[in-house]
Amino acid sequence: MNLCARLITAVALVTGGSVAAQPIIDLHVHTAGIGAGDSGAFINREMRESWKFRIYLAAFGVSLEEIETHGDALLVGRISERIERSERIDKAVVLAMDGVVDRDGKIDREATQIFVPNELVARETAKYDNLLFGASVNPYRPDAIERLEWAHENGAVLVKWLPNIMHMDPGDESILPFYKRMAELELPLLSHTGAERSFESAQDELGDPDRLRLPLETGVTVIAAHIAATGRTDGAGNFDRLVAMFASYPNLYADVSSLTQINRLGYLKRALGIPGLAERLVYGSDWPLQFFPLVSPWYHVRHVGIARARSIGRIDNAWDRDVALKEALGLPRSVLQRSATLLPAHTSSR
């Protein structure tokens, strides 16, 4: 429990009141790996040779030599350490990432840019009270439902997809049995929406939020990552396509991860200005993509002012800085606390 949570608890005990505040959970936190320590994770040759590889290592706060020495599990431990030092965030959902499935039902290692196995994330997050397991299962796997059930049994609180790089279509009716089992297990789906530019290549048509109608109609709680704040489909902005869906689906939510990045400027303010939409927003950071020049409070000075931009820029902890900037842009506390009620109940007890 961080300092903020301890103070809330102490005040409640002194006054004889109850602790009504929900913990703040970041439900969008990434890890990665190169296979060190027999983790099973990998990054394909295209990504390893990209200029982005070294930048991402620096964003994670590790060197290649450290990973090779201590194993990929080191990254998960570093996330826990940073969350423990945060004054605002109590827990984080660390996300696995499944790969591209070929016609034989096996992982295509050449087409898969990043692979983070469920087994690695489940095992490592279980070591820390402030981390939760976010599973990833490509529904095109022949044993997808069995893998989904394994993830649920091992504490998964959601399923994460990045269709643009997993090369899977959320609107494909052949995966309807997978959605039905997700609904039965009450596992939310956190799915990337919009264009994708963090990787070397992407099939951006698969990030069209309209493709999420199938899981929504099947009863799955869907969280549209990044509120579809990039890209266009059929001549319309993906953001507008997603916003139009909220009235039809009470089980549709969106996270605010990456909405302070330079390529998504203005979308958080725009979303908060839509009546009732804040009630469907959930907090996420998209860690580790919180570094300059990708993110800076000075990009938002028109909305937050010079003094506040300077103050936010001085905050050392990346999560505290992310929360402060989003609050300065108008994000209400209810959004920060929504993950604790939206995710499975056991998130509050781990």
Side-chain angles (χ1 to χ4, degrees):
M1 182 183 293
N2 61 31
L3 178 59
C4 180
R6 291 191 188 102
L7 289 173
I8 291 172
T9 302
V11 170
L13 290 173
V14 169
T15 60
S18 60
V19 182
Q22 296 284 354
I24 298 176
I25 301 172
D26 180 350
L27 57 62
H28 199 139
V29 173
H30 290 284
T31 188
I34 59 173
D38 296 321
S39 70
F42 68 84
I43 297 171
N44 74 356
R45 182 178 58 183
E46 185 180 23
M47 276 299 294
R48 282 292 294 265
E49 294 176 353
S50 169
W51 58 270
K52 297 176 182 178
F53 179 67
R54 290 283 177 180
I55 291 177
Y56 289 154
L57 282 176
F60 276 115
V62 297
S63 67
L64 183 58
E65 292 72 25
E66 283 182 299
I67 296 176
E68 291 173 338
T69 300
H70 301 287
D72 293 336
L74 175 67
L75 276 72
V76 179
R78 292 285 172 86
I79 293 170
S80 176
E81 290 172 3
R82 287 173 171 82
I83 294 293
E84 181 62 29
R85 292 198 295 267
S86 170
E87 296 183 2
R88 304 301 308 277
I89 303 299
D90 298 286
K91 298 182 182 183
V93 180
V94 180
L95 305 171
M97 184 61 67
D98 209 351
V100 179
V101 175
D102 63 22
R103 293 182 179 181
D104 296 323
K106 299 178 180 179
I107 290 294
D108 185 334
R109 294 183 66 93
E110 286 298 314
T112 298
Q113 297 179 69
I114 180 172
F115 177 74
V116 183
N118 289 315
E119 293 80 2
L120 169 65
V121 180
R123 180 178 67 248
E124 296 306 316
T125 55
K127 297 176 181 178
Y128 306 99
D129 290 338
N130 58 3
L131 300 183
L132 299 163
F133 168 33
S136 185
V137 180
N138 190 320
Y140 292 159
R141 285 182 177 270
D143 59 347
I145 292 178
E146 289 82 354
R147 288 174 179 267
L148 177 69
E149 291 171 341
W150 182 93
H152 180 261
E153 291 168 1
N154 284 270
V157 298
L158 56 78
V159 173
K160 173 65 165 74
W161 286 348
L162 211 170
N164 312 43
I165 68 163
M166 291 171 65
H167 299 179
M168 49 77 55
D169 180 1
D172 185 345
E173 292 191 0
S174 72
I175 61 178
L176 189 58
F178 186 88
Y179 286 138
K180 289 180 178 178
R181 190 63 180 131
M182 279 192 71
E184 291 170 352
L185 296 173
E186 298 182 343
L187 277 174
L189 172 62
L190 173 63
S191 188
H192 178 96
T193 51
E196 172 55 56
R197 295 295 177 264
S198 298
F199 296 88
E200 288 300 285
S201 59
Q203 296 181 3
D204 283 337
E205 69 276 10
L206 298 174
D208 174 11
D210 197 69
R211 294 175 185 257
L212 294 171
R213 291 182 183 273
L214 182 61
L216 288 163
E217 290 167 358
T218 312
V220 176
T221 295
V222 175
I223 304 166
H226 321 302
I227 202 165
T230 51
R232 299 177 66 82
T233 304
D234 294 336
N238 287 321
F239 174 84
D240 295 318
R241 289 170 68 83
L242 177 64
V243 168
M245 294 169 60
F246 281 99
S248 301
Y249 301 106
N251 50 330
L252 174 61
Y253 295 82
D255 81 9
V256 297
S257 64
S258 292
L259 294 191
T260 55
Q261 289 180 3
I262 193 169
N263 61 322
R264 294 183 173 95
L265 294 183
Y267 276 99
L268 182 55
K269 290 290 290 185
R270 185 175 170 187
L272 293 173
I274 298 173
L277 190 54
E279 302 307 311
R280 302 289 193 90
L281 298 181
V282 188
Y283 176 71
S285 69
D286 203 16
W287 169 266
L289 302 181
Q290 301 299 324
F291 54 86
F292 182 83
L294 195 58
V295 176
S296 170
W298 293 103
Y299 300 153
H300 306 271
V301 68
R302 181 167 67 91
H303 297 295
V304 306
I306 294 175
R308 202 162 186 184
R310 183 182 294 113
S311 175
I312 293 169
R314 290 173 177 167
I315 299 173
D316 182 61
N317 185 276
W319 271 278
D320 293 347
R321 191 167 58 248
D322 184 62
V323 171
L325 179 53
K326 287 171 179 172
E327 286 184 325
L329 291 168
L331 192 74
R333 185 171 179 84
S334 60
V335 174
L336 296 170
Q337 296 179 325
R338 187 157 290 121
S339 295
T341 57
L342 195 60
L343 298 178
H346 63 271
T347 60
S348 61
S349 59
R350 260 191 66 178

